[in-house]
Amino acid sequence: MTVNLDAADVFALGPVAAVAAIRDALAGGLEPDSDVPRAVLPLAYGQGLLMPSEAGGWFGVKIATVSPGNPARGLQRINATYLLHDSETLTCAAILDGIALTALRTPAVSVAAGLDRLRALAAGSAAGLRLVVFGTGPQGEGHARMIRAHVPVADVTVVARSAGTSPLWANRRLVTGDAEVASRVRSADVVVTATSACEPVVDGNLVQDSALVLAVGSHEPSVRELDGALMGRATVVVESRQVALREAGDVVLAVREGLLQPASLVPMTDLLRSSCSPLADRPMVVKTSGMAWEDLVIAVAAYSQGGRRVHHGVSRDLPACSVAPPPPHDDSVTALAKAWASHG
């Protein structure tokens, strides 16, 4: 019988278990480069996206649609559904809320890649880490809360294009171009860019040598959030070299400018299989574009927990993507789940 997992079921996995699922899958042998490229289909009133992946005894596909006219209709601009199948029988085990799945897996991948740097930074800071987050949307919030679930955080500054009330998850809200933004970036342990900007939002010369930068907004070769100055002096971690060189504008444009060498890109698998250790005296940039295997890993993890709760008796071995039961959620995770669930 097919299980239906709504947004609450997906978010019930929690941030700690989500990060553990990504790290365990990669350490256990999952190969991101085995994914086929996502298919983008032009439609009469928008776009359709297909993201299939098979690993660890499972096959899944996310079907997403982008309808630019929907906000004017009071509807969500992006909609998505995830179909999870058993690889052996090819029967559909679960249908998951694709928006919630994307909202959870994106910061989970960033933190999974940057976790060792986060822990090292936290070990050297008695008061907790200082974050600067560019972008006030669900991914900005999601990254801030995902980081807070793993290390102590002392202060969060959110940078937005317009003035407004500071969100509950941040200590203050600054406007792009405000003089205080530069000083906050200079002192930040972690910088997150989760915007729809086409040009760099961070002056790379301001970023500390020890800082961690998590960049998720750009996934087109002509669009960037980070400048070549930062990319050229940082250790740049990516999900896949070939995907980054095809889709990540932050990477593509820095390479084109001669500031970044393709061979210097560090795949996440190298980090998690102990074949690479980024230098502590260089910024570490984690640049993600979003890949289908990430949805699959989180879908399997959510199904292994939520599926058993929703439909008793559903059980199966999860060799490559198994996760331990997550710890109890705190109020911040509950608040994030509600924010993600209501995101359009």
Short mmCIF file of all heavy atoms in Angstrom, two decimals, residues 13-60:
data_model
loop_
_atom_site.label_atom_id
_atom_site.label_comp_id
_atom_site.label_asym_id
_atom_site.label_seq_id
_atom_site.Cartn_x
_atom_site.Cartn_y
_atom_site.Cartn_z
N LEU A 13 11.10 14.41 10.28
CA LEU A 13 12.42 13.79 10.28
C LEU A 13 13.39 14.59 11.14
O LEU A 13 14.20 14.02 11.87
CB LEU A 13 12.94 13.69 8.84
CG LEU A 13 14.35 13.11 8.67
CD1 LEU A 13 14.39 11.66 9.15
CD2 LEU A 13 14.80 13.22 7.22
N GLY A 14 13.30 15.92 11.06
CA GLY A 14 14.14 16.78 11.89
C GLY A 14 15.49 17.08 11.27
O GLY A 14 15.99 16.33 10.43
N PRO A 15 16.13 18.17 11.71
CA PRO A 15 17.39 18.62 11.10
C PRO A 15 18.58 17.70 11.38
O PRO A 15 19.43 17.51 10.50
CB PRO A 15 17.61 20.01 11.71
CG PRO A 15 16.87 19.96 13.01
CD PRO A 15 15.67 19.11 12.76
N VAL A 16 18.67 17.15 12.56
CA VAL A 16 19.82 16.31 12.90
C VAL A 16 19.80 15.01 12.08
O VAL A 16 20.81 14.60 11.51
CB VAL A 16 19.85 16.00 14.42
CG1 VAL A 16 20.96 15.00 14.74
CG2 VAL A 16 20.06 17.29 15.21
N ALA A 17 18.65 14.37 12.01
CA ALA A 17 18.53 13.14 11.24
C ALA A 17 18.68 13.40 9.75
O ALA A 17 19.21 12.55 9.01
CB ALA A 17 17.19 12.46 11.53
N ALA A 18 18.23 14.56 9.26
CA ALA A 18 18.36 14.88 7.85
C ALA A 18 19.83 15.02 7.45
O ALA A 18 20.27 14.48 6.43
CB ALA A 18 17.60 16.17 7.52
N VAL A 19 20.60 15.73 8.26
CA VAL A 19 22.03 15.87 7.98
C VAL A 19 22.73 14.52 8.08
O VAL A 19 23.58 14.17 7.24
CB VAL A 19 22.67 16.89 8.94
CG1 VAL A 19 24.20 16.84 8.87
CG2 VAL A 19 22.19 18.30 8.62
N ALA A 20 22.40 13.74 9.09
CA ALA A 20 23.00 12.42 9.25
C ALA A 20 22.70 11.53 8.05
O ALA A 20 23.57 10.76 7.60
CB ALA A 20 22.50 11.76 10.53
N ALA A 21 21.50 11.62 7.50
CA ALA A 21 21.13 10.79 6.35
C ALA A 21 21.99 11.13 5.14
O ALA A 21 22.47 10.24 4.43
CB ALA A 21 19.65 10.98 6.02
N ILE A 22 22.21 12.42 4.89
CA ILE A 22 23.04 12.84 3.76
C ILE A 22 24.48 12.36 3.95
O ILE A 22 25.09 11.78 3.04
CB ILE A 22 23.02 14.38 3.61
CG1 ILE A 22 21.60 14.87 3.23
CG2 ILE A 22 24.05 14.83 2.57
CD1 ILE A 22 21.13 14.46 1.86
N ARG A 23 25.04 12.58 5.13
CA ARG A 23 26.43 12.20 5.38
C ARG A 23 26.61 10.68 5.33
O ARG A 23 27.59 10.18 4.76
CB ARG A 23 26.88 12.75 6.74
CG ARG A 23 27.09 14.26 6.72
CD ARG A 23 27.40 14.81 8.10
NE ARG A 23 28.67 14.35 8.63
CZ ARG A 23 29.84 14.97 8.45
NH1 ARG A 23 29.91 16.07 7.73
NH2 ARG A 23 30.95 14.48 9.00
N ASP A 24 25.67 9.95 5.91
CA ASP A 24 25.77 8.49 5.91
C ASP A 24 25.68 7.92 4.50
O ASP A 24 26.38 6.97 4.15
CB ASP A 24 24.68 7.88 6.79
CG ASP A 24 24.90 8.11 8.27
OD1 ASP A 24 26.01 8.56 8.64
OD2 ASP A 24 23.97 7.87 9.07
N ALA A 25 24.80 8.49 3.69
CA ALA A 25 24.63 7.99 2.32
C ALA A 25 25.91 8.18 1.51
O ALA A 25 26.37 7.28 0.81
CB ALA A 25 23.46 8.69 1.64
N LEU A 26 26.52 9.37 1.61
CA LEU A 26 27.75 9.64 0.86
C LEU A 26 28.92 8.82 1.40
O LEU A 26 29.70 8.25 0.63
CB LEU A 26 28.08 11.13 0.91
CG LEU A 26 27.12 12.05 0.15
CD1 LEU A 26 27.49 13.50 0.36
CD2 LEU A 26 27.10 11.71 -1.34
N ALA A 27 29.05 8.74 2.72
CA ALA A 27 30.13 7.95 3.31
C ALA A 27 29.96 6.47 2.98
O ALA A 27 30.95 5.73 2.90
CB ALA A 27 30.16 8.16 4.83
N GLY A 28 28.70 6.05 2.78
CA GLY A 28 28.42 4.65 2.50
C GLY A 28 28.58 4.24 1.05
O GLY A 28 28.36 3.08 0.71
N GLY A 29 28.92 5.20 0.18
CA GLY A 29 29.20 4.82 -1.20
C GLY A 29 28.30 5.42 -2.26
O GLY A 29 28.52 5.18 -3.46
N LEU A 30 27.28 6.18 -1.89
CA LEU A 30 26.43 6.80 -2.91
C LEU A 30 27.27 7.72 -3.79
O LEU A 30 28.07 8.51 -3.28
CB LEU A 30 25.29 7.58 -2.25
CG LEU A 30 24.23 8.16 -3.19
CD1 LEU A 30 22.87 8.20 -2.49
CD2 LEU A 30 24.60 9.56 -3.67
N GLU A 31 27.08 7.63 -5.10
CA GLU A 31 27.85 8.42 -6.05
C GLU A 31 26.96 9.48 -6.71
O GLU A 31 26.13 9.17 -7.55
CB GLU A 31 28.46 7.53 -7.13
CG GLU A 31 29.52 6.57 -6.63
CD GLU A 31 30.76 7.29 -6.12
OE1 GLU A 31 30.93 8.49 -6.43
OE2 GLU A 31 31.56 6.64 -5.40
N PRO A 32 27.11 10.76 -6.32
CA PRO A 32 26.29 11.81 -6.92
C PRO A 32 26.36 11.88 -8.43
O PRO A 32 25.37 12.20 -9.10
CB PRO A 32 26.85 13.09 -6.28
CG PRO A 32 27.36 12.63 -4.95
CD PRO A 32 27.95 11.27 -5.22
N ASP A 33 27.53 11.56 -9.00
CA ASP A 33 27.67 11.67 -10.45
C ASP A 33 26.87 10.61 -11.21
O ASP A 33 26.78 10.67 -12.45
CB ASP A 33 29.14 11.57 -10.85
CG ASP A 33 29.89 12.86 -10.54
OD1 ASP A 33 29.25 13.92 -10.50
OD2 ASP A 33 31.12 12.79 -10.34
N SER A 34 26.28 9.65 -10.49
CA SER A 34 25.45 8.66 -11.17
C SER A 34 24.06 9.21 -11.49
O SER A 34 23.31 8.61 -12.25
CB SER A 34 25.31 7.40 -10.31
OG SER A 34 24.60 7.67 -9.12
N ASP A 35 23.72 10.36 -10.91
CA ASP A 35 22.44 10.99 -11.23
C ASP A 35 22.40 11.43 -12.69
O ASP A 35 23.42 11.85 -13.25
CB ASP A 35 22.24 12.24 -10.36
CG ASP A 35 21.42 11.97 -9.11
OD1 ASP A 35 20.97 10.84 -8.92
OD2 ASP A 35 21.23 12.92 -8.32
N VAL A 36 21.23 11.33 -13.28
CA VAL A 36 21.05 11.92 -14.60
C VAL A 36 20.66 13.38 -14.41
O VAL A 36 20.06 13.75 -13.40
CB VAL A 36 19.95 11.17 -15.40
CG1 VAL A 36 20.33 9.73 -15.62
CG2 VAL A 36 18.60 11.26 -14.69
N PRO A 37 21.02 14.25 -15.36
CA PRO A 37 20.66 15.67 -15.22
C PRO A 37 19.15 15.84 -15.13
O PRO A 37 18.39 15.08 -15.72
CB PRO A 37 21.21 16.30 -16.50
CG PRO A 37 22.28 15.38 -16.96
CD PRO A 37 21.82 14.00 -16.57
N ARG A 38 18.75 16.84 -14.35
CA ARG A 38 17.31 17.13 -14.28
C ARG A 38 16.80 17.55 -15.66
O ARG A 38 17.53 18.17 -16.45
CB ARG A 38 17.05 18.23 -13.25
CG ARG A 38 17.38 19.63 -13.71
CD ARG A 38 17.27 20.64 -12.59
NE ARG A 38 18.52 20.76 -11.84
CZ ARG A 38 18.61 21.26 -10.62
NH1 ARG A 38 17.55 21.69 -9.99
NH2 ARG A 38 19.78 21.35 -10.02
N ALA A 39 15.56 17.19 -15.96
CA ALA A 39 14.93 17.59 -17.22
C ALA A 39 14.05 18.79 -16.97
O ALA A 39 13.21 18.78 -16.07
CB ALA A 39 14.12 16.43 -17.78
N VAL A 40 14.26 19.85 -17.74
CA VAL A 40 13.44 21.06 -17.64
C VAL A 40 12.60 21.15 -18.90
O VAL A 40 13.12 21.22 -20.02
CB VAL A 40 14.32 22.31 -17.49
CG1 VAL A 40 13.45 23.56 -17.38
CG2 VAL A 40 15.24 22.19 -16.27
N LEU A 41 11.29 21.12 -18.72
CA LEU A 41 10.36 21.07 -19.84
C LEU A 41 9.60 22.38 -19.96
O LEU A 41 8.93 22.82 -19.01
CB LEU A 41 9.36 19.93 -19.65
CG LEU A 41 9.94 18.57 -19.26
CD1 LEU A 41 8.83 17.59 -18.96
CD2 LEU A 41 10.83 18.04 -20.38
N PRO A 42 9.68 23.06 -21.11
CA PRO A 42 8.87 24.27 -21.30
C PRO A 42 7.39 23.89 -21.43
O PRO A 42 7.04 22.98 -22.20
CB PRO A 42 9.42 24.86 -22.61
CG PRO A 42 10.02 23.69 -23.33
CD PRO A 42 10.52 22.76 -22.28
N LEU A 43 6.55 24.55 -20.67
CA LEU A 43 5.12 24.30 -20.70
C LEU A 43 4.38 25.56 -21.13
O LEU A 43 4.97 26.65 -21.15
CB LEU A 43 4.63 23.83 -19.32
CG LEU A 43 5.32 22.59 -18.75
CD1 LEU A 43 4.82 22.31 -17.33
CD2 LEU A 43 5.11 21.38 -19.65
N ALA A 44 3.11 25.44 -21.44
CA ALA A 44 2.35 26.57 -21.95
C ALA A 44 2.34 27.74 -20.97
O ALA A 44 2.39 28.90 -21.37
CB ALA A 44 0.92 26.12 -22.26
N TYR A 45 2.30 27.44 -19.68
CA TYR A 45 2.21 28.51 -18.68
C TYR A 45 3.31 28.43 -17.63
O TYR A 45 3.12 28.85 -16.49
CB TYR A 45 0.83 28.47 -18.00
CG TYR A 45 -0.30 28.73 -18.97
CD1 TYR A 45 -1.05 27.67 -19.49
CD2 TYR A 45 -0.60 30.03 -19.39
CE1 TYR A 45 -2.07 27.90 -20.40
CE2 TYR A 45 -1.62 30.26 -20.29
CZ TYR A 45 -2.36 29.20 -20.80
OH TYR A 45 -3.36 29.44 -21.69
N GLY A 46 4.47 27.90 -18.01
CA GLY A 46 5.57 27.82 -17.06
C GLY A 46 6.55 26.72 -17.43
O GLY A 46 6.85 26.50 -18.60
N GLN A 47 7.05 26.05 -16.42
CA GLN A 47 8.04 25.00 -16.62
C GLN A 47 7.67 23.75 -15.81
O GLN A 47 7.05 23.84 -14.75
CB GLN A 47 9.43 25.45 -16.14
CG GLN A 47 10.13 26.45 -17.01
CD GLN A 47 11.51 26.77 -16.46
OE1 GLN A 47 11.72 26.82 -15.26
NE2 GLN A 47 12.46 27.00 -17.35
N GLY A 48 8.11 22.61 -16.32
CA GLY A 48 8.02 21.37 -15.58
C GLY A 48 9.43 20.83 -15.37
O GLY A 48 10.29 20.98 -16.24
N LEU A 49 9.71 20.28 -14.19
CA LEU A 49 11.03 19.73 -13.89
C LEU A 49 10.88 18.29 -13.41
O LEU A 49 10.02 17.99 -12.58
CB LEU A 49 11.74 20.56 -12.81
CG LEU A 49 12.14 21.99 -13.17
CD1 LEU A 49 11.00 22.94 -12.85
CD2 LEU A 49 13.38 22.40 -12.39
N LEU A 50 11.74 17.41 -13.93
CA LEU A 50 11.77 16.01 -13.52
C LEU A 50 13.14 15.71 -12.96
O LEU A 50 14.15 15.94 -13.63
CB LEU A 50 11.47 15.09 -14.71
CG LEU A 50 10.15 15.32 -15.45
CD1 LEU A 50 10.05 14.35 -16.62
CD2 LEU A 50 8.97 15.13 -14.50
N MET A 51 13.20 15.15 -11.73
CA MET A 51 14.47 14.86 -11.07
C MET A 51 14.46 13.42 -10.56
O MET A 51 14.03 13.15 -9.44
CB MET A 51 14.71 15.85 -9.93
CG MET A 51 14.87 17.30 -10.39
SD MET A 51 15.14 18.46 -9.03
CE MET A 51 16.75 17.93 -8.43
N PRO A 52 14.92 12.45 -11.38
CA PRO A 52 14.93 11.05 -10.97
C PRO A 52 16.28 10.62 -10.38
O PRO A 52 17.34 11.16 -10.73
CB PRO A 52 14.68 10.32 -12.30
CG PRO A 52 15.35 11.21 -13.31
CD PRO A 52 15.23 12.62 -12.81
N SER A 53 16.25 9.62 -9.50
CA SER A 53 17.48 9.08 -8.94
C SER A 53 17.22 7.69 -8.40
O SER A 53 16.11 7.39 -7.92
CB SER A 53 18.01 9.98 -7.81
OG SER A 53 19.26 9.54 -7.35
N GLU A 54 18.25 6.82 -8.47
CA GLU A 54 18.15 5.48 -7.90
C GLU A 54 19.39 5.21 -7.06
O GLU A 54 20.52 5.43 -7.51
CB GLU A 54 18.03 4.42 -8.98
CG GLU A 54 17.88 3.00 -8.41
CD GLU A 54 17.65 1.95 -9.48
OE1 GLU A 54 17.94 2.23 -10.67
OE2 GLU A 54 17.20 0.84 -9.14
N ALA A 55 19.19 4.72 -5.83
CA ALA A 55 20.31 4.38 -4.95
C ALA A 55 19.79 3.62 -3.75
O ALA A 55 18.64 3.80 -3.33
CB ALA A 55 21.04 5.64 -4.47
N GLY A 56 20.64 2.73 -3.21
CA GLY A 56 20.31 2.07 -1.96
C GLY A 56 19.04 1.24 -1.97
O GLY A 56 18.39 1.09 -0.93
N GLY A 57 18.65 0.70 -3.11
CA GLY A 57 17.44 -0.11 -3.17
C GLY A 57 16.17 0.68 -3.39
O GLY A 57 15.07 0.13 -3.25
N TRP A 58 16.33 1.95 -3.76
CA TRP A 58 15.16 2.80 -3.96
C TRP A 58 15.29 3.59 -5.26
O TRP A 58 16.39 3.95 -5.68
CB TRP A 58 15.02 3.79 -2.80
CG TRP A 58 14.78 3.14 -1.48
CD1 TRP A 58 15.73 2.78 -0.57
CD2 TRP A 58 13.52 2.75 -0.94
NE1 TRP A 58 15.14 2.19 0.52
CE2 TRP A 58 13.78 2.16 0.32
CE3 TRP A 58 12.21 2.85 -1.39
CZ2 TRP A 58 12.77 1.68 1.14
CZ3 TRP A 58 11.19 2.36 -0.57
CH2 TRP A 58 11.48 1.78 0.67
N PHE A 59 14.15 3.88 -5.88
CA PHE A 59 14.08 4.77 -7.02
C PHE A 59 13.05 5.84 -6.69
O PHE A 59 11.97 5.55 -6.18
CB PHE A 59 13.64 4.04 -8.29
CG PHE A 59 13.22 4.97 -9.40
CD1 PHE A 59 14.16 5.72 -10.08
CD2 PHE A 59 11.87 5.12 -9.74
CE1 PHE A 59 13.77 6.60 -11.10
CE2 PHE A 59 11.48 5.99 -10.75
CZ PHE A 59 12.43 6.73 -11.43
N GLY A 60 13.41 7.09 -6.96
CA GLY A 60 12.47 8.17 -6.70
C GLY A 60 12.55 9.23 -7.77
O GLY A 60 13.56 9.36 -8.48
#
